[in-house]
Amino acid sequence: MKVLRKYREEVAGIAFLLPNIVGFLVFIMVPLLASFALAFSNWNVQLHNMFQTEPLQFVGFENFRRLIEQPRFWQYFGNTLFLMIGIPFSIGGSLLAALLLNRDFGEKNRRVRGRLLAAAVMGGACLVLAATGFNLGAIWVLLAVMASGILLTGVAGGSVVYRTLFYTPHFTAGVATFILWKKMYNPHSGPVNTALQPLLDGLAGIVNAVPGWLGDLGYAVLGVLALLVVRWRLRAIASNLLDRDIGLLAAIISSALLFLPVALAALWLPYHGLGPLILLAMVALGAREGWRLKRGLRGLAIDPAYRLGENLMFSLGLMTLAFILVGLGRVLYHLPAMASDGLNPPDWLIDYHWAKPSIMIMALWAAIGSNNMILYLAGLKNIPGELYEAASIDGASGLQRFWHITWPQLAPFTFFIFVMSVINGLQGGFEMARTMTQGGPAGATTTLSYFIYIEGFETGRLGFASAVAWALFGLVFMMTLFNVKFGNRYVND
Amino acid sequence: MKRIFLTLLMVLSLAAVLTWWIQPARQTDVPILYWVTTNSPIRDDQVAAFENWLEANAYERIELRIDASNNDPSKKLIQGISGVAADLFDNYADQAYLMQSTGILSDLTEPALAHGFGPETTYPSVRSNFMIEGRQWGYPPSVSVAVYLVNVAAFEEAGMEVPPRQWDIATFEEWGRRYVAARTVPGERQRHFFAGSQLDRVELSRSTGLDTYNETLTACVLDDPRYVKVLETVYRWMYEDHIIPSQQEESTFAVEGSGLGISMALFARGNYAMLYLGRFALVRLRSYGDQEYAASFPPYFEYPNLRVAGGNIGLYAKSSKKEEAYRFFEYLASDTHNRMIVATGDALPVNPAFLETEGFLRPPEHPNEWGVHEVYAEGMKAYSISRSRSPFVLPEVAKRIEVNNYHSFLAGRISAAEAAGQMAERINLEIERTLEERPSLVGEYERLVALQEKIDALKAAGKPIPADWIINPFHRRYYRDMGLLDEGSEGP
């Protein structure tokens, strides 16, 4: 009894914690360890369950060998990576939303009056159009009314209303939003295509009216633009390297990433033989530049991975941008031929080539107003106002203030958000695939997490499914290590 | 704080006991049977009919409860292997094979003999849906084959006659092109199709003499020019002749609903002149009014055939209400239930004798359907063949591989030949994988492979094949109809 009295407080504390500890052990820790062990076993529900007597066998790395040999695994891994291309955009969108929401709404009368006027004009225009029987798509009317409503409620509630509205997608139930998006993507009756069709009709008219060589020109212009983006970034990397502001390894990896869109653009060129020539020229230029840098780097002693995280992230973002410019260029090149019979909006989820972009667009919508935005908002609040004041006194423009104060100050947040987004991207896609596409068409939207489900619960190979899950964990773990190794350093820098 | 904690603990414990106490099973002395199935008014009628049947036969009362929330295949599997599944559950198409292999189904062979719901009470072509390795693992509530339902008014609007009951591919295409030409306004989006997009690629393939698997079910043989021809034919119907809609075209119709519901609505309003479905569709089409319908068999290359569809009800191995479940199966085989299937139009009656009844062929309340039911009856009796399932690959896995490659072909990513090749290659890889995972199957597999070599030699020599050597139900029937089967030979 004495002992009990002595440890009374401890016993009470443990009793309070016990439900949580037991829950964690039973529902998380034990299944986690069990799934790790099962990844090395031949557990198959057909053979090993309470009704079967066949002994469970440990098969070593057999499941992992099969995994690597499975073409489906690589296809679904590719799908998962493809869907992650949208991450830089979602980060950009979250930052933009946070910058907008960080502004003080509703205090200055001029702004209030402006928003009231905008809402009145939009609402009035809708009424006039409806009254005069103008054949405007109902969706445009709906959008205008919604915009008016948002502006008006913003006047009443200020930034709190806007912040709540932006955050809404995050606390709306996933399945409900997926079903909603599925309806929105309906090729014929969905509001997305209803809104797009008049725009595409107009675009087709314009494209058919202008000479065809403009498409070629557009391709060339966007291609050159992509090259300029790459060149700008390469120059910045080279300059940073000489200034000892980046490690050699970080510079090489960040530069190599930028070559991918250029190589793709070259291979896509419609003029035979030109692509390899351009590639060859790029390699030659790269080698010459490398040689020049090597001479400049003599005597430098710097960690090769110095600022790898930051530069890698930035290069990935620019690589995506360059990819999009090249892709848009190709669209411009083919546009005259496509527009000759009129342009139709995509079939979204049921078209093999559009299914993944459809999901990316939806994920972008969900990600902009997510926790990322909240993190950025918190980050923005932490930036000392004196920095902006000093910059204003020095005559810095808004863009300069953003580029030299806001962006560097938010860098730790950006890095954290990027890493978390990549981890979520690797783990994600299950609910979307299950609800919207069943992984189709032709496996185009099957991600690794949905693959685990198929293997585990459709074919009953739980050992193999565990191996896929642990392979996925390996990828996520590598990302976390990357964060620990480079994220912290970058934050401290 | 400690008191609050303890109070909460007690409240929660009390709630748990209360929840257990007020369970439905504790509120009544009547045994309750849980049946995991679809939620439909017909199911409610069947429950009522079962309870009336018990009363009429002076049997003990049993309460049958529908559980529609656990009908997902994964749920049934997980609940089953966890020991908490419902007493009875539907197994659609090939699900029974997975369920049986896990051991969660009760062996009904002996009870079926005792209660009169054995395999002899239904069609030979249906038996493989619930007979696995010579034992009975379920019983069908109804059976089904699909034919083309014809919207007579749609053909009248096109200025055409009602299509023939039997047609080959060329005739089907010729009719289709004529129909589409008659109903499509030049310059406008096509709104009328000869048929909905539902079709059975296996039936088309079987009509060339080719099945998914070889005679011994040891290998997938879809890498065959005949299957390439099937894929190219479907593609031509969708993208060249536009006699059936592509998935994209189908989605352009502004119809609310999902899956078959959309197709049935489009068929009822004449956008599809024909729809390839089972008899159950008639029940749902009745809600669109008394339109006049006819029916045609699906087109064929050389050999007309239909594939048996529908599922069966299995009994959970750990069910504590087995005797009550046997009573329910007895009811399913009874005249009462068969008459009910005849009256409601829910697929086809389990007992073949009921196909001949006047009530089935000419339901008095629906004269607009006369003529349709007899096509289903003829199809079931004359052309139906069991599905073929290899014991070395799960049907669901094989299906996913086939569908993925088919969609890749339709999306233009691979050619028909590549699609057929990849289907065979990947399904055969799955067979290899199953053998690696289940060494106990290797002996049987090797025996069958050796047998297959003998079959191939006989085929090459143009000699008849002993019936006992053939496991694939399609080949057995096909070779018999073609006069290539040696019925008298001793088996291996």
Side-chain angles (χ1 to χ4, degrees), chain B residues 53 330-341 351 354:
Chain B
W53 175 81
E330 190 182 326
Y331 159 75
L332 292 180
S334 71
D335 288 358
T336 309
H337 179 68
N338 276 284
R339 269 196 296 272
M340 188 178 181
I341 296 290
N351 187 334
F354 283 83

Side-chain angles (χ1 to χ4, degrees), chain A residues 171-254:
Chain A
F171 57 74
T172 312
V175 173
T177 52
F178 299 148
I179 291 170
L180 183 74
W181 272 91
K182 199 175 172 181
K183 293 263 177 205
M184 284 172 58
Y185 276 138
N186 184 301
H188 185 69
S189 57
V192 175
N193 278 8
T194 311
L196 274 179
Q197 189 63 63
L199 295 178
L200 290 174
D201 288 344
L203 180 65
I206 294 167
V207 171
N208 289 329
V210 299
W213 54 264
L214 274 177
D216 294 34
L217 184 66
Y219 190 12
V221 168
L222 286 171
V224 169
L225 208 57
L227 275 176
L228 286 176
V229 168
V230 170
R231 183 171 166 267
W232 171 75
R233 179 68 191 140
L234 286 175
R235 282 174 73 105
I237 291 171
S239 164
N240 288 341
L241 192 63
L242 290 173
D243 292 346
R244 304 182 186 194
D245 209 16
I246 181 173
L248 187 61
L249 182 70
I252 291 170
I253 294 175
S254 308

